Amino acid sequence: MLIRRRRRPGGPVHRLGIALRWPLGLARVSWRYMWRVTAVHRSEADGGPADAPDPVPPDVLDDDVQRVEDGVGPLLKRRYSVRIEGSPLPPDQVIGRFSGDPNCGAPSEVAVFEKVRGQDGRLHVGDEFLIRMPGPWDGPVRVIGTGPASFRLATLRGHLEAGQIEFRCRADDGALLFEIESWARSGDRLSDLLYTRLRLAKEIQLNLWVETCLRLTRDAGGRPRGGVHVDTLRIPLPT
């Protein structure tokens, strides 16, 4: 089915069902987070100007896009990575399945991807999703780049963050390396308070992408080796 214009899908009953599911879902994800046997390795360091993202391509840039420059607070580059062993799939099939249906990897208790522009089951530059998340944090995003084994999204107006995120997979010494890399600032001052200062949204987001790494590993028929790595760089802003 081809959706020709961006909209907020789902009626009141649909939204009510989502709203009622979030508290239980968050409790389940938090429980898994506390008792997860897969190690999560976290590091933080200072980055430099070379670590900033490429500009949003002009053919998909309009007033709806929330660029890094439009955000509030520090600019963070964060990479989530997992080494997948034993998968029979090549990198392009791992990303192809995920890009065609992001809900095969994302934990539905925390995030549900709803395609609001573009053709179901396929991904093209200019397509858009609405990522439904707990609370008032629905995240509209637009596809700004695709490759044989990667795709990149930019946040749109109303998103908790201003920036970009890329999903990619590659062969790595007889295994696969799946990575999620984001470059983002808070979308507004309230988001900056929740994310940077109270750290609430930060922990929800971290758990979301860690769980996505693990679910994609299982979906690819493999197993994680060495846990999930979460590396954060704080990038200085131009003066």
Side-chain angles (χ1 to χ4, degrees), residues 21 46 74 106 136 235:
R21 190 174 73 236
D46 292 330
I235 303 173

Side-chain angles (χ1 to χ4, degrees), residues 28-42:
R28 290 175 57 192
V29 171
S30 299
W31 179 262
R32 285 204 304 265
Y33 180 77
M34 289 187 293
W35 295 101
R36 182 182 287 131
V37 296
T38 303
V40 177
H41 309 279
R42 301 169 69 164

Side-chain angles (χ1 to χ4, degrees), residues 54-70 125-126 128 142-144 154-156 163-164:
D54 293 333
V56 177
D59 57 328
V60 287
L61 178 62
D62 58 24
D63 291 340
D64 284 338
V65 175
Q66 289 192 158
R67 304 168 303 162
V68 164
E69 297 90 336
D70 301 322
V125 171
E128 295 181 5
R142 177 179 296 163
V143 180
I144 62 169
T155 62
L156 301 179
Q164 303 176 27

Side-chain angles (χ1 to χ4, degrees), residues 115-172:
K115 196 162 195 180
V116 294
R117 174 179 288 176
Q119 189 173 14
D120 289 343
R122 303 181 65 181
L123 195 72
H124 299 284
V125 171
D127 290 356
E128 295 181 5
F129 291 91
L130 183 65
I131 308 173
R132 294 199 177 275
M133 299 181 68
W137 296 334
D138 287 355
V141 293
R142 177 179 296 163
V143 180
I144 62 169
T146 61
S150 67
F151 64 95
R152 184 177 292 210
L153 309 175
T155 62
L156 301 179
R157 186 171 303 180
H159 198 288
L160 188 68
E161 293 184 315
Q164 303 176 27
I165 187 167
E166 182 172 280
F167 303 85
R168 56 181 180 257
C169 187
R170 61 180 172 86
D172 183 51

Side-chain angles (χ1 to χ4, degrees), residues 2-3 15 24 54 86 100 151 160 164 168 183 185 234:
L2 181 64
I3 302 173
R15 291 193 291 271
L24 178 59
D54 293 333
F151 64 95
L160 188 68
Q164 303 176 27
R168 56 181 180 257
W183 301 260
R185 301 171 70 194
R234 186 179 291 262

Side-chain angles (χ1 to χ4, degrees), residues 83-91 170-177 222-223 225:
R83 181 179 171 85
I84 304 173
E85 293 195 340
S87 171
L89 301 181
R170 61 180 172 86
D172 183 51
D173 193 22
L176 298 173
L177 185 65
R223 58 188 182 278
R225 177 65 181 272

Side-chain angles (χ1 to χ4, degrees), residues 132-230:
R132 294 199 177 275
M133 299 181 68
W137 296 334
D138 287 355
V141 293
R142 177 179 296 163
V143 180
I144 62 169
T146 61
S150 67
F151 64 95
R152 184 177 292 210
L153 309 175
T155 62
L156 301 179
R157 186 171 303 180
H159 198 288
L160 188 68
E161 293 184 315
Q164 303 176 27
I165 187 167
E166 182 172 280
F167 303 85
R168 56 181 180 257
C169 187
R170 61 180 172 86
D172 183 51
D173 193 22
L176 298 173
L177 185 65
F178 176 73
E179 296 179 311
I180 304 171
E181 191 163 44
S182 66
W183 301 260
R185 301 171 70 194
S186 298
D188 53 36
R189 297 195 181 279
L190 176 59
S191 301
D192 186 47
L193 174 65
L194 292 170
Y195 190 92
T196 306
R197 306 183 190 280
L198 299 182
R199 302 176 69 89
L200 172 63
K202 178 180 180 180
E203 292 305 311
I204 292 175
Q205 182 191 67
L206 183 139
N207 196 32
L208 162 64
W209 296 130
V210 167
E211 188 67 22
T212 299
C213 286
L214 296 177
R215 287 181 178 232
L216 257 294
T217 298
R218 294 192 295 269
D219 187 71
R223 58 188 182 278
R225 177 65 181 272
V228 179
H229 291 259
V230 184

